[in-house]
Amino acid sequence: MTLNISNVKLYRENESERSIMRREQAREKENRLVRKIVTVVILSLVLIVTVLGIYIYKYWQSGLKPLNPKDDHLVQVNIPIGTSNKGIGNILEEQKIIKSGLVFTYYVKTENITDFKGGYYQMAPNMTLDEISEMLQQGGTEEPEALADARITIPEGYSVDQIAKEVASKTGLKEDEILNVITDEAFFKELLASYPQLLQSASEAQDVRFKLEGYLFPATYNYYKDKGVKPLIQAMVEQMNQVYIEREEMFNQSDLTVQQVLTLASLVEKEGVENEDRRNIAGVFLNRIAADMPLQSDISILYAMDKHKVHLSNKDTEIDSPYNLYINKGFGPGPFNNPSTDAIDAVLNPLENDYYYFLADITTHKVYFAETYEKHLELKEQYIDNLQ
C-alpha cells in the first residue's frame, strides 16, 4: 500500500494543532484555577483584616471606658518613681483599675499626656482614663494611706457653691455644713498662715462672697469621714499653692496680685475653650483694664445673679452687685469660680493683641475678636443674632 505523503503531512499538522489547543486549554484551566485561588486568598485577607480591624476598634473603644462604671471601691495603687507609661498601664491593669494597659499606654501617647508622678494612689474601677491621668499628674502620697470613705472629683470652673454641692453628694453631708467650713474666718486664718503668699491678696479683698473662691483647685481628692471637711478643703488649697509655687516667677512678673490673676483666670475659664482663644481673651481683658474700661463679662453677671442663663437682658447687666463687671470697672471683688491651670497660664502668658471686644458662639465655641465696637456689633449680628 502506498502512503500519500501529503495526507501524512496534513495529519501531522492537524495532530500538532490539536496538541497546541489541548495545552492552551490546560493552561487556561490552570489560569482560571490560579485566579480563583488568588481571589479566595484576597477575599480571605480582606475578611481577616476587616474582622481584625473591627476587633481592634472595639477593643480600643472598650479600653477607653471605665472597667466598671458602678464600682467605686477604692484600691491602693503604688506607682514606683520612674515607671514608664507602659509600666503604669500594666500596673493599673493588674490592679484591675482599667481594662487594658496597652490602650492606656497608647491613649496617653496620642493625647500627649505627660509628667506622671510616682507614689501611692487610691483609685477605683469606675474612673475614666482622663481622671486617672489627672490624678497621676497631680502626684500620689509618699506612703500608703488608709482607704478613703469617698473619692471626690472637682471639675474645672466649679464655683464654691457647686463644690459644696458635689462634696455633699459624695459624702452625705449637708451643703451648709461644707459652706460653714469654707466661710469659717478662723479656718481661713489658719490657711493664710500656712500659705501666706497664695492667700495674702485674698485676705485683703473686700466684698467677696467667699474668700476661698478661686483657691480650691479642681482635681480629685480623698475624703475621710473621721477627719471631716477641713482636711479636704485644705487639700484643695494646698494643690492650688503647688500651682502657684510652680509659676511663682510668672506671677511676680505679671504685676498682678494672685487675687487678680485668679479673677481673670476664672473669667477666661468660662469664656474660652481653646488655648489660643483663652490667651487672646486674657489679652482683651488686660487691654480693657489698661484702657480703664469695664470688663463686661457675662460670667460676672451670672455670678452676681447666682443663676444660669443662656442670654442676658439689659436689665440683667444692671444688677446691683460688686461682682457686676458691666458697670464696675476693674477686677471686682475676686474670682467667679475655681479655674484650671490652662486658664491660669493663659492669664500669666496672654497673647498681645489690639482687641477690646470678643464674643463666642456657644454652639461651636468659636471666638470672634474685634478692635472696635462697630466691628464687634457686626460680628454679633453675623454670628449670634442671626442664629437665635
Side-chain angles (χ1 to χ4, degrees), residues 127-139:
M127 294 178 67
T128 65
L129 296 189
D130 282 338
E131 289 175 333
I132 292 172
S133 298
E134 289 175 10
M135 182 177 287
L136 290 168
Q137 288 176 320
Q138 184 178 340

Side-chain angles (χ1 to χ4, degrees), residues 348-367:
L348 293 175
N349 187 28
L351 287 176
E352 294 186 8
N353 57 53
D354 297 319
Y355 301 131
Y356 289 87
Y357 304 90
F358 71 90
L359 54 86
D361 186 323
I362 60 175
T363 302
T364 64
H365 300 295
K366 184 172 177 58
V367 183

